[in-house]
Amino acid sequence: LIAPLVACLLVGSATAHAGGGGGKADAGAGPAVAEQPAASFSIAMKQDIFFGFHGIAHLGVRLTDLMDLTVYSILWTRPGFGAEGTGGNLWTEWGLGVNFKLLGGNLGINPQFGILNGTLLSGGKRGLTFEGIVPNLSANYDDGFLQGNVYLGYYIGLRSQDGSKKNDFLHYWVSAGVSFLKRFSVGAHYEALW
């Protein structure tokens, strides 16, 4: 529960300052240039074969024109990720990072460091706070037509319970596609655990 609350509190304080200049230009300064928002926020609900149904919140706070502070929080609802398959002590993750914008903002390289809470990595009967860490890296490309995403995260158990083996794993994916009609994308996705 701590992870979603931390992300929500950070979102609340960041969006309060997101007003900025509203993209307005001074009179006589030439054509108006679209101003980047001071913060962006998204919530996604996802479903997949391994992680099941889960909610993800992302926050980006502009530090400079070429760098954002990033915060994320994930809550998995799959009962197998909780204590003895009951759905209690569900697995959560939250983390911080910095997104570096390259190629005119079309490419983002985002190293992040996450904290894991629950039972999935520690293999116990009760959830543990700080049961593991996940250093991770994502790269996103979008030029308005071509789109791509690469993710690499190493989930490392720091604690175990009752002599259980820690469940470390490498999670990675790659996606590529094209955008059409300004609001839709189609492409391919490959994802694996190792």
Side-chain angles (χ1 to χ4, degrees):
L1 290 176
I2 293 172
L5 291 176
V6 169
C8 289
L9 291 174
L10 289 172
V11 169
S13 64
T15 54
H17 300 93
K24 296 179 182 175
D26 292 333
V33 175
E35 186 176 307
Q36 293 182 351
S40 62
F41 179 74
S42 68
I43 297 176
M45 305 308 283
K46 296 186 176 187
Q47 167 71 35
D48 72 34
I49 200 162
F50 177 75
F51 289 108
F53 183 74
H54 54 286
I56 303 173
H58 291 275
L59 169 68
V61 177
R62 184 173 40 131
L63 300 175
T64 71
D65 287 343
L66 300 176
M67 190 172 20
D68 296 333
L69 170 70
T70 58
V71 179
Y72 71 94
S73 179
I74 307 172
L75 172 62
W76 287 273
T77 62
R78 182 176 170 184
F81 289 175
E84 298 181 5
T86 64
N89 297 312
L90 286 171
W91 199 38
T92 62
E93 174 183 342
W94 68 275
L96 297 168
V98 177
N99 184 48
F100 299 96
K101 301 175 206 171
L102 307 167
L103 301 177
N106 292 341
L107 176 65
I109 306 290
N110 190 190
Q112 297 184 103
F113 185 82
I115 302 293
L116 306 163
N117 308 285
T119 64
L120 185 66
L121 299 180
S122 57
K125 295 180 180 180
R126 61 183 172 77
L128 294 177
T129 303
F130 304 114
E131 75 157 348
I133 59 173
V134 56
N136 60 85
L137 177 70
S138 62
N140 299 288
Y141 181 81
D142 187 349
D143 65 11
F145 179 67
L146 296 176
Q147 298 176 328
N149 173 253
V150 175
Y151 171 81
L152 180 67
Y154 186 44
Y155 289 74
I156 305 165
L158 298 178
R159 304 168 66 186
S160 63
Q161 299 183 58
D162 309 321
S164 300
K165 180 182 175 289
K166 292 185 286 184
N167 300 312
D168 298 351
F169 62 91
L170 180 67
H171 182 205
Y172 59 95
W173 71 69
V174 61
S175 312
V178 294
S179 175
F180 62 97
L181 300 177
K182 296 185 181 181
R183 300 208 186 269
F184 299 96
S185 296
V186 64
H189 177 84
Y190 176 78
E191 181 171 358
L193 298 174
W194 185 63

